[in-house]
Amino acid sequence: VDTIRIAEDSDIVFDGAAAALPARPGREAVAVFHQPGVGAEIADEIAGGLDEVRTVLHELPDREAAKELDAVGTMYDVLADFNLGRHDTIIGVGGGAATDVTGFVAATWLRGVESVLVPTTLLAAVDAAIGGKTGINRRGKNLVGAFWLPSRVVIDLSLLSRLPEEILREGSAETLKAGLLADPAIVAEYERAGLGADLEVVVPRAVAVKVDVVRDDLDERGRRAILNFGHTVGHAIEILAPLPHGHAVSVGMVAAAVISNARYGFDHRWLTGLLFDLGLPVAAAGVSLPAALEVCQRDKKRTADGIRMVLLRDVGDPVVEVVSAAELEGAMRAVGLS
Ligand SMILES: NC(=O)c1ccc[n+]([C@@H]2O[C@H](COP(=O)([O-])OP(=O)(O)OC[C@H]3O[C@@H](n4cnc5c(N)ncnc54)[C@H](O)[C@@H]3O)[C@@H](O)[C@H]2O)c1
């Protein structure tokens, strides 16, 4: 695959990051927001290739600090000083924090301008930069945001193949999740090679799974919910432990697999082994079970009769079901909460 189309005027392109931006009539200026480190190098390369237009580069704070309101305000200031107009373009380079905040700023600047995202972590490439959800943090993660599709997402597989192991591991939880939901070939590749899974195989496939799910549900009313596999218990653990997102989702997938086993005979031990071999946590001992239940009760996915959770009847066969508090508690105990 070279290109996956998510909507008219929104493509995901597998190519070198420097090739991020095809010329477009009417565009006079480009602002590049980038993370420190690798993001800065790529931003320089991109700007170097844009000799037809005015460019400005701005370095974001690293990680979640980029999604704080004062940092967002500085981004608007940069755009105002630079006089970025309605027909101009904003590029975001970095992990999911950078792509989330850049997407948000593009969605809101002048009520919406073109954005291009260049994800540099595995998690951002298969998840954060795909699907048009943008967000910033205020009194909680991603409570402020907008749906805004980038005109293109550029995924540089050779860049991702040089990622530090820890960043690769974190992103592998969401990549494997895509396989569990809808593509056994991703799962097979992780079974074959663990963290050494061929990114040329798993990344385009995981992107295709997410695109397929969100394409007809861009504002998240229906089927998009299956992407929350592992995220009910995972979200609680992410907050309470706290653990990095991918690690928390790993534990959350085990918890969901335990309920899937009780209901449908899904082999939760097999999944636990697969995650363990990736070096991902499969339990979160020390996290308070009552506190985790409390977080789940407050969750957006709650309904009147229980908590809606994504379960697996089999690999490639997810269902969204209401589970009781007792079932949820049992699954939490199974992953070490007490
Ligand atoms: N919008 C969505 O649908 C969606 C989905 C999932 C996650 N997210 C968001 O994504 C964010 C997490 O993204 P993340 O895991 O990419 O973390 P991140 O953006 O915080 O980056 C993690 C670290 O990796 C570094 N880094 C980035 N690229 C690198 C590279 N090529 N080599 C070495 N280091 C590199 C960064 O500088 C940073 O220190 C969260 O804010 C989360 O809310 C959004």
Side-chain angles (χ1 to χ4, degrees):
V1 238
D2 297 327
T3 301
I4 297 174
R5 172 148 292 191
I6 183 159
E8 203 181 325
D9 300 327
S10 184
D11 287 318
I12 296 143
V13 179
F14 296 88
D15 199 350
L21 202 59
R24 204 200 58 201
R27 182 195 292 128
E28 290 170 0
V30 174
V32 188
F33 294 115
H34 63 84
Q35 276 182 337
V38 174
E41 290 165 32
I42 296 170
D44 277 340
E45 268 184 65
I46 293 171
L50 296 175
D51 34 348
E52 305 289 294
V53 294
R54 295 190 295 128
T55 54
V56 63
L57 269 63
H58 173 73
E59 181 159 298
L60 301 169
D62 204 22
R63 297 182 184 264
E64 292 302 300
K67 293 171 68 172
E68 292 297 320
L69 216 44
D70 56 344
V72 177
T74 304
M75 294 168 77
Y76 292 130
D77 290 343
V78 168
L79 296 175
D81 290 343
F82 183 59
N83 203 9
L84 188 116
R86 211 174 274 286
H87 303 292
D88 297 330
T89 302
I90 299 179
I91 304 183
V93 185
T99 58
D100 267 14
V101 71
T102 302
F104 178 76
V105 165
T108 47
W109 179 253
L110 304 179
R111 302 193 183 84
V113 298
E114 177 186 33
S115 65
V116 170
L117 302 178
V118 184
T120 63
T121 64
L122 179 58
L123 182 90
V126 301
D127 194 2
I130 309 297
K133 280 212 261 177
T134 74
I136 61 170
N137 303 332
R138 185 76 173 181
R139 303 279 293 270
K141 270 194 72 167
N142 302 325
L143 288 182
V144 180
F147 290 100
W148 190 252
L149 277 176
S151 69
R152 66 175 22 210
V153 177
V154 183
I155 299 178
D156 184 338
L157 291 168
S158 79
L159 170 81
L160 298 182
S161 71
R162 297 192 297 274
L163 279 174
E165 188 172 295
E166 207 33 62
I167 292 182
L168 204 56
R169 176 175 294 120
E170 225 211 294
S172 68
E174 294 285 1
T175 313
L176 177 64
K177 181 198 79 178
L180 293 166
L181 291 173
D183 188 349
I186 297 173
V187 179
E189 180 58 15
Y190 276 112
E191 280 190 294
R192 183 188 73 79
L195 214 51
D198 185 351
L199 295 179
E200 306 247 357
V201 173
V202 297
V203 173
R205 284 179 172 275
V207 169
V209 168
K210 182 155 184 189
V211 168
D212 189 48
V213 172
V214 304
R215 189 188 276 131
D216 300 319
D217 188 18
L218 287 169
D219 53 1
E220 203 169 29
R221 288 163 201 269
R223 183 156 178 254
R224 196 162 177 159
I226 67 164
L227 296 171
N228 289 322
F229 178 62
H231 284 61
T232 305
V233 174
H235 178 60
I237 291 172
E238 181 173 3
I239 296 171
L240 296 170
L243 278 182
H245 182 73
H247 293 220
V249 166
S250 174
V251 181
M253 289 196 289
V254 174
V258 167
I259 301 177
S260 304
N261 174 261
R263 288 201 180 186
Y264 313 114
F266 180 82
D267 190 350
H268 64 297
R269 291 208 172 79
W270 161 81
L271 179 58
T272 307
L274 186 53
L275 292 164
F276 183 84
D277 289 345
L278 288 169
L280 286 164
V282 293
V287 171
S288 155
L289 195 151
L293 279 175
E294 165 86 27
V295 173
C296 291
Q297 299 296 348
R298 275 190 273 126
D299 198 280
K300 332 185 245 257
K301 286 155 304 256
R302 203 186 61 128
T303 67
D305 44 344
I307 286 158
R308 285 166 71 79
M309 238 173 117
V310 185
L311 304 175
L312 291 177
R313 283 193 291 227
D314 199 351
V315 170
D317 188 9
V319 283
V320 182
E321 292 287 327
V322 173
V323 302
S324 67
E327 280 177 296
L328 192 58
E329 197 178 320
M332 286 179 173
R333 282 195 201 288
V335 293
L337 276 62
S338 58

